Amino acid sequence: MAGHQSVLLRLVARAALLGATCVLAGAAAAAPTPAGAWHQREAAIMGTRIAVELWSRTDAEGEAAIDAVMAEMRRVDVLMSHYKPESQLSRINAHAGEGPVRVDRELFDLIARSLDYSRLTNGAFDITYASVGYLYDYRHHVKPNEAEIEAHLAAVDWRSLELDAKNATVRFRKPGMRIDLGGFAKGYAVDRSIELLKARGIEHASVSAGGDTRILGDRFGRPWMVGIRHPDDPQRVILRIPLENIALSTSGDYERYFDENGVRYHHIIDPRTGHSASKVRSATVIGPTATQTDGLSKTAFVLGPEKALEILSRIPDVDAVFVGPDGKVYYSPGLTPPTR
Ligand code: ADP
Ligand code: MG
């Protein structure tokens, strides 16, 4: 598995070397495609755009496989959404300050996994960011003032999240704590979808939920091409990355935000300060699973290239691309920058 992935990362490096505009010309000639067809569909679920594209031998199989992915996205959304008052996540936020709240094993395991990322990143990834994060309302241009941030910042503390694995319960050890899985759940849902497609015998697919994508197989002798957009222009792709059997997540300051007095207030929060992180405009992480790359893209965004690369270098098969405030692009050592 690891060997396989390192070959893929070399593929990324080689193609990146060719530059954004001629990557496809450098790709291998397409192998003959067997009987069947590509199917694709988009839907709005989990507060974002879900996009599925896959190859299947029959139309019925293809459409049924996409139906199954969309159903899985809805299921994960119901389990983990903080918008839906009936979700288990909302129950945790409403009651875990009073005592342990029992949740489904699946949700419990995901919360437990999120703590692994908090540990790994010294708290740059922290689902309790929401203790301050909920004070922002990007759509209505609402942000907390310094005093409000100050009052809530102590509750941003993943170490005060008490998990009881035996009983699958979650408890908040500090007043005012909240959690939010917005930085993890989409990657998880994408991974679940890919597993589900594999179980149906699908061998070529791409599943995206917002900035989180996972790729299954290739496109018959060619890699899938995934673009990283320009932070200020959704139509402009600054880099195309050829990928096979891998996941990629991008976190950007242009997804949910508002600007005020020259400051951008956006949805990726530095847990140390309670403010929107501002070291980079976007951070993309490439790695084996989308749950992993989703968690790590926030980390990369919050910490910026230098510190993030130090942490990412300790994780096997993970690479990253950053777009700095001045538009400069930074790459992890595993990738070769395009020469243009
Ligand atoms: P998308 O939601 O499009 O996948 P991201 O992967 O960049 O975008 O995730 C952004 C989300 O991550 C935010 O909306 C919020 O729910 C969550 N988040 C923000 N800051 C942090 C943080 N420091 N640690 C963990 N999750 C965070
Ligand atoms: Mg994401």
Side-chain angles (χ1 to χ4, degrees), residues 182-184 186-187 209-212 249-251 294-295 297-298:
F184 213 35
K186 292 183 198 86
D212 302 298
S249 293
T250 298
S251 287
D294 201 9
S297 71
K298 256 69 55 187

